[in-house]
Amino acid sequence: MPIYKSDTNGSRGFPGAFIAVGVFVLSVITLFLPDASQDEVASLLRGSLLRPFVLAQEGLVRRSIHAEDTEVLQRRLDSLEVVIANSNTLAEENTTLRSLLLLSNRIPAQYVAASVMRPGTPGSESMFMLDVGTERGVTDDSPVIMGQGLLGRVLEAQATSATAMDWTHPQFRASAMTVDGTVYGMVRAAPGRFREADRLLLNGVPFHQELGPGVTLVTSGLGGLYPRGIRIGVVIEESGSQEGWQRSYWLRPFVSPGEATHVNVLVGEEGEFRDANSWSEGGPQVQGPGAAPQELAPGTSDTEATTPR
Amino acid sequence: MRTPARIWSVVGFLILLHFGLHLSLGLGESAPDLLVVALLIAAREVNIGRGAGLGFFLGLLDDAFSVLAFGANAFALTLVGMGGARTRDLFVGDSLLFLGSYLMLGKWMRDFLHWVAVGSDLRESFVETMLIQSPVSAAYAGLIGLIVIAISGLGWETIR
């Protein structure tokens, strides 16, 4: 076999240099492409060349979830049973009060369970992928919830997968309020010195309204993106920066993005869940990974999957 | 012996391994940046145009999951590919010192160009990113690159 000689025609030759300049210009153009075009290119690459790697991660994530300690799962089940048992009286009172006020039953919110996958590539720190898509009712901007807190929202939903961002994304915004609905503000991500130090900042609180440490903030439903009542975080302290006659507060989020492995995505007809008055009172209904999308007739409820409050 | 088949097999293997570790296993920063190692090895074998093209392609693949700064990886790896190809005219040799420096500087330069391209809104502090985190990851990538070169027998006699 002849000894291999690398391409030594000179790295500065006219064609090579011309092509290099052309590719460099192309890379600069890519950097400044409109968001829609960037999404198209990224989606194309994710769905073609990188698809095998994504599928491999989906399989591994599923296996790791299935291998989770049964004792941990049993504890979670026991906790849920306690919550449901404690809610029975509340549900009865709610039904009675609604009938007295001649209010119809609330349509329960619907969720699909999803596994979270992290790309782990540079620049993808605030995003994750879900193994559910439009076939299961997920749409762009569907809220993603983990445990009892808001994790983020779907950016782009494909047929069987979705790309989402968590609350550490610089463009994350959520209209928030205190649980009693007396104080409103806008929550945004506040990057820390390190990724682990990221937290949330509540802006726009009127100067005459003060919040103490430990006050819980939930989504207000204003803006139409997140339904009312999803827990966001608790107040740590007042931020040093004040803008005019407004106060700002640091929040400790209920959900840590690094811990997200299994989440629920709020689904429904176009904009349906956003019209709901309250997420927490909606009686969330979670569909299992293998379940097909269901349509509930008004007034019907699945007592095993629905937890009216 | 360095043959085209062996060199490009190693480059292809490193690219597959990079996405396998970062994407399929989700290791993130725990895994070395094998994409830049593959590009730096390949760039020494091609002219500046092909080096830029390969860097752009690999950068786009890395950008597929970047919602924060799409194109930053493509921009960085294009320039690294061009620079890697250009080093053939500037440096001749395959000493351990040269190769180690080449791989580490290439990785540091990739991080620096990415840091520049992501924009001021997303940019973290220069000292922490470029003077603390990046040298560590550059040393990590450089070490893995040297091991790969030595094991694969790409012809750098001083290492083997």
Coordinates of all heavy atoms in Angstrom, one line a residue, chain B residues 17 37 52 92 144:
Chain B
L17 N -18.9 9.2 18.3 CA -18.8 9.1 19.7 C -19.2 10.4 20.4 O -19.8 10.3 21.5 CB -17.3 8.7 20.0 CG -17.0 8.3 21.5 CD1 -17.8 7.0 21.8 CD2 -15.5 8.1 21.6
V37 N -11.9 17.8 18.4 CA -10.7 16.9 18.2 C -10.8 16.3 16.8 O -9.8 16.3 16.1 CB -10.7 15.8 19.3 CG1 -9.6 14.8 19.0 CG2 -10.5 16.4 20.7
A52 N -12.9 24.5 6.4 CA -14.0 25.4 6.7 C -15.3 24.7 6.5 O -16.2 24.8 7.4 CB -13.9 26.7 5.9
V92 N 5.3 22.5 10.9 CA 5.6 21.2 10.3 C 6.1 20.4 11.5 O 7.1 20.7 12.1 CB 6.5 21.2 9.1 CG1 6.8 19.8 8.6 CG2 5.9 22.0 8.0
I144 N -7.5 13.6 25.7 CA -8.3 12.5 25.0 C -7.8 12.5 23.5 O -7.6 11.4 22.9 CB -9.8 12.8 25.1 CG1 -10.3 12.8 26.5 CG2 -10.6 11.8 24.2 CD1 -10.1 11.5 27.2

